[in-house]
Amino acid sequence: MVPARCPGTCAVLALALFLGCGVVLCSGQNDTEPIVLEGKCLVVCDSNPSSDGAVTSSLGISVRSAGAKVAFSAVRGTNHEPSEMSNTSMIIYFDQVLVNIGNHFDLKASVFQAPKRGIYSFSFHVVKAYNRQTIQVNLMQNDHEVISAFAGDQDVTREAASNGVLLMMERDDRVYLKLERGTLMGGWKFSTFSGFLVFPL
């Protein structure tokens, strides 16, 4: 690694080596273009570190994790439930992905897998159509129920079971939706399931 000239270079390089990073981004007080070296981690040396969520030390060193952006949003575009809904898992399946930054939502399994430890936000709206049954939808983390939502009005043609939550997740934790009660035989077009990484830990 070739050291870049900027205030606190030695401290930056030491921190980079400590973190196992290979990218050092340095700029002087009046510089506009950073110097980028190889690797997957960014160490920004700046006399005025920003407050954009990066970890900042007393030396004015801002550390950001490359590829930290994680978000997904899936939707059901058809009214008919897939054949998989009849199996014992009762996972609610989606058939379209609107957003999948980081590619951590598996559309076929309709499961999100966390790429890193952090705080994540999730929300869902599961629509039942022309169905007088009460449905219960659970958001599951590693096969454990976290939150539930219900839709049970018998006098409307469409109703959504909706909820949202912040979760602390470890790397490789899985989140999905499960139909705990009722059926979606009447159709469930326009149902959505979304989530994103708020910040890593």
Side-chain angles (χ1 to χ4, degrees), residues 91-162:
I91 292 176
I92 295 177
Y93 291 89
F94 295 85
D95 60 7
Q96 297 177 32
V97 171
L98 304 179
V99 173
N100 198 7
I101 298 174
N103 201 33
H104 301 293
F105 182 77
D106 182 342
L107 180 62
K108 184 176 180 180
S110 290
V111 173
F112 171 78
Q113 187 166 349
K116 62 186 69 182
R117 186 172 186 263
I119 301 299
Y120 292 78
S121 175
F122 297 97
S123 63
F124 63 88
H125 306 274
V126 175
V127 177
K128 73 180 182 79
Y130 306 102
N131 185 342
R132 298 176 67 87
Q133 297 185 55
T134 296
I135 65 168
Q136 176 184 347
V137 178
N138 293 343
L139 185 140
M140 310 292 290
Q141 181 179 6
N142 297 331
D143 303 326
H144 299 287
E145 174 188 337
V146 179
I147 56 172
S148 296
F150 299 83
D153 194 329
Q154 298 184 3
D155 298 322
V156 296
T157 56
R158 287 179 174 85
E159 186 183 10
S162 304

Side-chain angles (χ1 to χ4, degrees), residues 43-103:
V43 179
V44 179
C45 174
D46 196 339
S47 58
N48 296 300
S50 65
S51 56
D52 60 356
V55 179
T56 304
S57 76
S58 59
L59 296 174
I61 299 170
S62 179
V63 180
R64 299 180 183 89
S65 175
K69 295 180 180 179
V70 177
F72 77 92
S73 187
V75 64
R76 187 70 192 173
T78 59
N79 265 326
H80 301 291
E81 64 177 288
S83 59
E84 290 89 345
M85 284 297 296
S86 63
N87 67 19
T88 57
S89 74
M90 298 305 287
I91 292 176
I92 295 177
Y93 291 89
F94 295 85
D95 60 7
Q96 297 177 32
V97 171
L98 304 179
V99 173
N100 198 7
I101 298 174
N103 201 33

